[in-house]
C-alpha cells in the first residue's frame, strides 16, 4: 500500500495531482489550504508553521511519502519538514529546474513573491554569458484563481503586466513556478505575443517520483475552505472518482 500526501496552499496543487494520477497509481491524500491562501506574501516563519500544520494533519493517514505541490512551501520549508517528519518530501522546484535544463536561452520565472525572493530557479539556471533568468512576482494571480477567476479582463490585465518583460524581450522559456498557474495556462498563452516554451514542473515530477504503485488510484481531497469554484477546478483536473471533504486544520 502506498499512501502519498500531496499539498498546496489551495487549488494550485491540483495541477500537480492531475499529472501524478496520470502516471503513478497510489492512495493520494490531497490537502489545499484555501482558507489561508495565498502564502506567497507571508513571512518564512508563518509559511513553515502553516506547512507543518498541513503535514501534521496528513500524518493521520499513514503517509509514506509527500509531494510538496507548491513552489512557495518547497523553497521555504522542505528542509524543516524533512528534518521534523523524517520522511521523503518531493519539492516541485527541483523538477522545474530539471525540466528547464532541457531548454537553452533565457528564462522567465513567474512565481509568488516568496519563490522569486528565494532566487531558487535563478541560482540553478543562470549561466553568465549564456542564459539570463528574469524573475517576476505575480502577486495578484493566486487570489484571483482561488476565487475561481481563471479567465477574463482581470486575469488578462494582470498577465499583460506580468508578461510585459517576456513579450518585450521575447524570452524563449517561461517557467510556471507556481502550481496555480497551469490553471490559467490558456490565458497565459493568449497574453504572450510570441511562442514561448511553457515549462510546467509537474510533468517532470510526475515522471520521476519513485514509489511502489498500488493497483489503482484512490483519491481523497481535503480543503480548508470550499467555495463555488472548488469543485469546478477539481473537475477540470481530476477526471476520475474522488472524495472531497472540508477540513479545519
Ligand atoms: N501554488 C503555490 C505555489 O506554487 C501558491 C502559493 C501561494 O499561496 O501564494 O507557490
Amino acid at each position: 500500500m502506498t499512501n502519498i500526501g500531496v499539498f498546496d496552499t489551495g487549488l494550485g496543487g491540483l495541477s500537480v495531482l492531475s499529472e501524478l494520477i496520470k502516471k503513478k497509481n497510489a492512495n493520494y491524500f490531497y490537502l489545499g489550504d484555501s482558507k489561508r491562501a495565498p502564502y506567497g506574501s507571508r513571512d518564512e516563519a508563518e509559511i513553515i508553521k502553516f506547512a507543518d500544520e498541513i503535514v501534521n494533519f496528513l500524518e493521520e493517514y499513514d503517509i509514506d511519502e509527500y509531494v510538496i505541490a507548491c513552489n512557495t512551501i518547497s523553497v521555504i520549508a522542505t528542509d524543516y519538514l524533512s528534518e521534523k517528519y523524517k520522511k521523503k518530501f518531493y519539492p516541485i522546484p527541483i523538477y522545474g529546474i530539471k525540466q528547464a535544463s532541457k531548454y537553452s536561452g533565457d528564462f522567465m520565472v513567474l512565481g509568488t513573491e516568496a519563490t522569486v525572493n528565494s532566487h531558487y530557479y535563478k541560482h540553478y539556471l543562470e549561466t553568465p554569458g549564456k542564459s539570463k533568468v528574469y524573475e517576476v512576482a505575480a502577486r495578484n494571480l493566486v487570489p484571483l484563481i482561488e476565487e475561481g477567476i481563471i479567465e477574463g479582463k482581470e486575469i488578462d490585465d494582470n498577465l499583460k503586466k506580468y508578461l510585459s518583460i517576456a513579450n518585450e524581450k521575447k524570452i524563449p522559456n517561461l517557467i510556471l513556478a507556481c502550481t496555480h498557474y497551469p490553471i490559467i495556462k490558456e490565458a497565459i498563452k493568449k497574453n504572450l505575443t510570441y511562442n514561448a516554451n511553457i515549462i510546467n514542473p509537474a510533468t517532470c515530477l510526475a515522471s520521476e517520483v519513485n514509489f511502489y504503485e498500488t493497483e489503482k488510484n484512490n483519491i481523497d481531497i481535503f480543503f480548508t475552505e470550499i467555495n463555488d469554484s472548488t469543485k469546478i477546478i477539481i473537475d477540470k483536473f481530476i477526471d476520475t472518482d474522488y472524495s472531497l471533504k472540508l477540513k479545519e486544520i
Side-chain angles (χ1 to χ4, degrees), residues 8-9 12 37-40 69-72 112 115 142 177-180:
D8 179 43
T9 66
Y39 283 21
C70 173
N71 287 265
T72 304
T112 65
T115 300
V142 170
C178 169
T179 55
H180 279 69

Side-chain angles (χ1 to χ4, degrees), residues 1 8-9 15 18 32 55-56 59 96 124 145 187 200 223 228 233:
M1 232 174 60
D8 179 43
T9 66
S15 67
S18 105
V55 174
N56 192 46
E59 278 292 279
Y124 288 103
I145 296 165
N200 176 4
F223 273 92
D228 293 348
I233 307 277

Side-chain angles (χ1 to χ4, degrees), residues 100-108 124-134 169-175 197 199:
S101 304
K102 296 177 188 149
Y103 297 94
S104 56
D106 294 345
F107 294 91
M108 174 164 151
Y124 288 103
L125 291 172
E126 190 158 86
T127 321
K130 238 175 141 195
S131 69
K132 191 169 165 45
V133 176
Y134 298 85
K169 298 191 179 293
K170 305 227 174 324
I171 301 170
N173 308 299
L174 171 64
I175 304 174
N197 301 314
I199 297 164

Side-chain angles (χ1 to χ4, degrees), residues 3-241:
N3 296 344
I4 303 297
V6 182
F7 58 95
D8 179 43
T9 66
L11 295 163
L14 294 168
S15 67
V16 181
L17 183 64
S18 105
E19 297 295 331
L20 281 165
I21 63 174
K22 277 187 248 166
K23 301 216 172 84
K24 303 265 151 73
N25 288 343
N27 301 316
Y28 289 104
F29 296 87
Y30 180 92
L31 187 284
D33 191 8
S34 288
K35 192 171 181 181
R36 300 189 291 192
Y39 283 21
S41 37
R42 294 180 187 274
D43 65 34
E44 287 199 11
E46 201 167 28
I47 294 170
I48 289 175
K49 179 176 177 284
F50 288 179
D52 189 13
E53 286 166 3
I54 293 174
V55 174
N56 192 46
F57 160 69
L58 288 169
E59 278 292 279
E60 286 174 27
Y61 295 91
D62 285 329
I63 302 295
D64 297 303
E65 296 185 351
Y66 286 95
V67 171
I68 311 180
C70 173
N71 287 265
T72 304
I73 298 177
S74 296
V75 297
I76 306 280
T78 303
D79 291 347
Y80 175 88
L81 296 171
S82 312
E83 180 58 31
K84 175 163 179 184
Y85 292 95
K86 310 274 182 231
K87 288 188 179 175
K88 172 102 184 139
F89 284 82
Y90 293 98
I92 188 153
I94 288 189
Y95 302 91
I97 285 156
K98 250 187 159 164
Q99 179 92 338
S101 304
K102 296 177 188 149
Y103 297 94
S104 56
D106 294 345
F107 294 91
M108 174 164 151
V109 174
L110 192 65
T112 65
E113 279 168 294
T115 300
V116 162
N117 291 340
S118 77
H119 303 299
Y120 189 92
Y121 284 89
K122 191 180 176 80
H123 174 77
Y124 288 103
L125 291 172
E126 190 158 86
T127 321
K130 238 175 141 195
S131 69
K132 191 169 165 45
V133 176
Y134 298 85
E135 300 170 296
V136 175
R139 68 174 303 161
N140 298 340
L141 295 179
V142 170
L144 287 172
I145 296 165
E146 283 292 321
E147 273 180 57
I149 302 167
I150 59 172
E151 58 184 6
K153 186 169 174 347
E154 223 176 330
I155 287 282
D156 289 342
D157 288 349
N158 276 290
L159 284 174
K160 279 193 182 73
K161 186 172 71 187
Y162 297 134
L163 296 173
S164 62
I165 302 174
N167 283 331
E168 190 189 302
K169 298 191 179 293
K170 305 227 174 324
I171 301 170
N173 308 299
L174 171 64
I175 304 174
L176 304 183
C178 169
T179 55
H180 279 69
Y181 304 161
I183 299 174
I184 53 163
K185 192 171 169 193
E186 290 315 310
I188 291 173
K189 277 193 197 155
K190 190 180 103 183
N191 284 285
L192 281 171
T193 55
Y194 65 102
N195 269 333
N197 301 314
I198 300 182
I199 297 164
N200 176 4
T203 52
C204 179
L205 179 142
S207 312
E208 297 210 357
V209 291
N210 191 15
F211 48 74
Y212 187 78
E213 288 188 66
T214 50
E215 212 168 289
K216 60 181 189 57
N217 281 322
N218 188 64
I219 303 167
D220 283 290
I221 299 177
F222 303 95
F223 273 92
T224 54
E225 184 175 273
I226 294 180
N227 60 31
D228 293 348
S229 53
T230 313
K231 207 169 170 322
I232 296 171
I233 307 277
I234 296 174
D235 290 339
K236 196 173 149 71
F237 283 99
I238 312 296
D239 59 359
T240 174
D241 290 346

